[in-house]
Amino acid sequence: VTRRQQELAACIACLEALKSGCTTLCEFFYTNQDPELADVCIETMQSVGIRSVLMRTFQDYGEEYNTPSCYIEPVETAIKEVERLRRKYLPLTGDMLSIWTGPDVTWATTKRGYEAILEYCLDRHVRYTMHLKETPEDDDMCRRHYGTGIVELLDEIGFLTDQFLAVHCVHLTPGEIEILAGKGVSVSHNPAANLYLGSGIAPIHACLQARVNISLGTDGAASNNTTDMLDTIRLAALIHKGANCDPTAMSAENVMRVATVGGAKALGMEDKLGSLEVGKRADLVLFNPDRVRSIPMHDPMATIVYSSSAENIDTTIVDGKVVYRKGVFSCGIEEAQLAEQVRNELQGVTFI
């Protein structure tokens, strides 16, 4: 990945998110073969005006699981890079930017890696994340090396806290759900990616019943082909009805709560984001129901969840600033121009 390709990719993701009414984008960043790629990603997110979280993750193991060697680094290197990014950007950005860290995936992290990054995060009050139980390989690898499942291992070393955002969680057992609930762990539910990759359907209905905080994610274009949050909201509302053979398993109200309040809590920003209240940041979206897809509108909440698309998003406002309105991005980027730049950049590039 070149720095220019990173810039264009970040720009595409951010603009599509804003166009679908998403005001806060979390980037699970793992392409660390060039340290400055993280800088490019941060600066691009800031330039388009979206509230952003860069989760600078790491992998200190995993070649036997086909992790590219250029992605593998000592945990000390990762910590040093996270500190660099935090010193460089956080004093200038306020709460428009957060910088997290954490392991990438179970099969690319050692126990020592977990312990070292946890010590750093707790000492410096840095929130952390990782992909957890997306596939059965998570437990298989963990049992082979440490004689226990991954949730049990993380619990044993104190990794499961309310500062931790667990991504995917497709293969959680009922007992593991209770553990996450008891520790205050939040879960990022990525339904489209889990279906696209054949990972399965996360037990979100059971998580909600156990009072686990749930948020929504797209998992990015590599495993979803879109960062459209409305698409994710609709899918999350539908698949759990089918998976549970129960049309009430995920109501429109529940999925919107997950997408807003749940997301804010997962980021540790429930006092600033997630609802329209005095004292919170002015992150809001103007929704126009007068489109063929969404008329007639009898129930506004149901219309947003089941009958909307990006064409319904009239205006997206972040921190009180209009960043998107009626097809125009305030950063000055035009979609046709961006598409041409992407085509020019990828000429001659071979994809495997």
Side-chain angles (χ1 to χ4, degrees):
V1 179
T2 68
R3 297 175 193 183
R4 177 57 173 162
Q5 289 167 356
Q6 178 67 66
E7 178 187 15
L8 291 171
C11 189
I12 293 168
C14 291
L15 296 187
E16 186 178 19
L18 290 172
K19 194 173 181 179
S20 69
C22 178
T23 64
T24 302
L25 181 72
C26 298
E27 165 58 24
F28 194 92
F29 193 84
Y30 63 91
T31 53
N32 300 315
Q33 67 270 32
D34 177 352
E36 291 191 17
L37 291 178
D39 298 70
V40 172
C41 190
I42 288 172
E43 290 166 15
T44 303
M45 292 190 292
Q46 293 291 286
S47 70
V48 303
I50 198 166
R51 190 182 302 280
S52 49
V53 180
L54 184 96
M55 299 164 167
R56 200 287 186 188
T57 67
F58 74 96
Q59 302 170 68
D60 66 343
Y61 172 78
E63 285 190 312
E64 67 177 291
Y65 290 92
N66 298 315
T67 301
S69 59
C70 61
Y71 287 3
I72 298 174
E73 62 185 349
V75 64
E76 291 79 11
T77 300
I79 290 172
K80 187 180 297 184
E81 275 300 300
V82 173
E83 274 295 286
R84 180 186 71 80
L85 293 171
R86 291 175 65 84
R87 287 195 303 269
K88 180 177 180 180
Y89 292 104
L90 293 189
L92 307 174
T93 54
D95 58 22
M96 282 294 290
L97 171 68
S98 303
I99 296 177
W100 296 20
T101 187
D104 180 13
V105 291
T106 301
W107 36 267
T109 311
T110 63
K111 183 178 180 181
R112 180 181 176 278
Y114 292 127
E115 292 170 336
I117 205 70
L118 176 64
E119 180 181 5
Y120 164 74
C121 289
L122 296 182
D123 179 62
R124 300 304 299 270
H125 304 289
V126 176
R127 299 181 75 90
Y128 53 100
T129 186
M130 69 174 287
H131 288 197
L132 180 68
K133 297 205 70 168
E134 182 179 3
T135 66
E137 279 75 18
D138 285 25
D139 270 346
D140 293 345
M141 175 272 183
C142 197
R143 287 198 176 94
R144 186 157 63 86
H145 287 277
Y146 306 117
T148 187
I150 181 59
V151 173
E152 291 79 5
L153 177 69
L154 295 179
D155 192 22
E156 174 188 314
I157 64 177
F159 202 89
L160 303 181
T161 73
D162 61 2
Q163 305 298 297
F164 175 40
L165 177 60
V167 184
H168 298 303
C169 296
V170 175
H171 296 278
L172 289 177
T173 67
E176 290 168 342
I177 291 172
E178 293 297 331
I179 292 173
L180 296 191
K183 301 294 184 178
V185 174
S186 289
V187 169
S188 172
H189 177 38
N190 296 253
N194 298 154
L195 294 176
Y196 186 88
L197 297 175
S199 302
I201 299 175
I204 298 303
H205 181 59
C207 287
L208 289 171
Q209 288 184 318
R211 300 188 181 278
V212 176
N213 181 59
I214 305 296
S215 61
L216 288 181
T218 64
D219 205 32
S223 51
N224 183 355
N225 300 308
T226 181
T227 53
D228 186 327
M229 185 54 73
L230 287 173
D231 179 72
T232 292
I233 287 172
R234 184 172 188 268
L235 187 57
L238 292 176
I239 64 171
H240 298 292
K241 300 176 189 293
N244 292 277
C245 298
D246 179 1
T248 68
M250 181 70 84
S251 66
E253 290 77 10
N254 278 346
V255 76
M256 283 302 294
R257 190 176 302 112
V258 164
T260 54
V261 178
K265 184 175 181 180
L267 300 181
M269 301 182 75
E270 63 267 40
D271 61 329
K272 300 174 182 178
L273 308 176
S275 58
L276 299 180
E277 298 180 56
V278 174
K280 289 193 174 184
R281 302 296 185 263
D283 286 19
L284 62 150
V285 174
L286 304 184
F287 182 90
N288 182 359
D290 295 330
R291 296 290 183 267
V292 172
R293 181 181 176 93
S294 51
I295 55 174
M297 183 177 72
H298 302 295
D299 180 337
M301 191 72 73
T303 297
I304 293 172
V305 172
Y306 299 116
S307 306
S308 69
S309 69
E311 69 176 2
N312 293 102
I313 304 301
D314 179 277
T315 305
T316 302
I317 300 170
V318 182
D319 205 38
K321 300 178 180 65
V322 175
V323 292
Y324 172 78
R325 179 173 172 79
K326 299 185 184 300
V328 177
F329 296 98
S330 61
C331 62
I333 297 174
E334 298 180 359
E335 288 188 62
Q337 178 189 46
L338 179 60
E340 182 179 3
Q341 291 173 348
V342 171
R343 283 195 298 270
N344 291 339
E345 178 64 28
L346 296 182
Q347 281 185 354
V349 175
T350 300
F351 295 95
I352 300 176

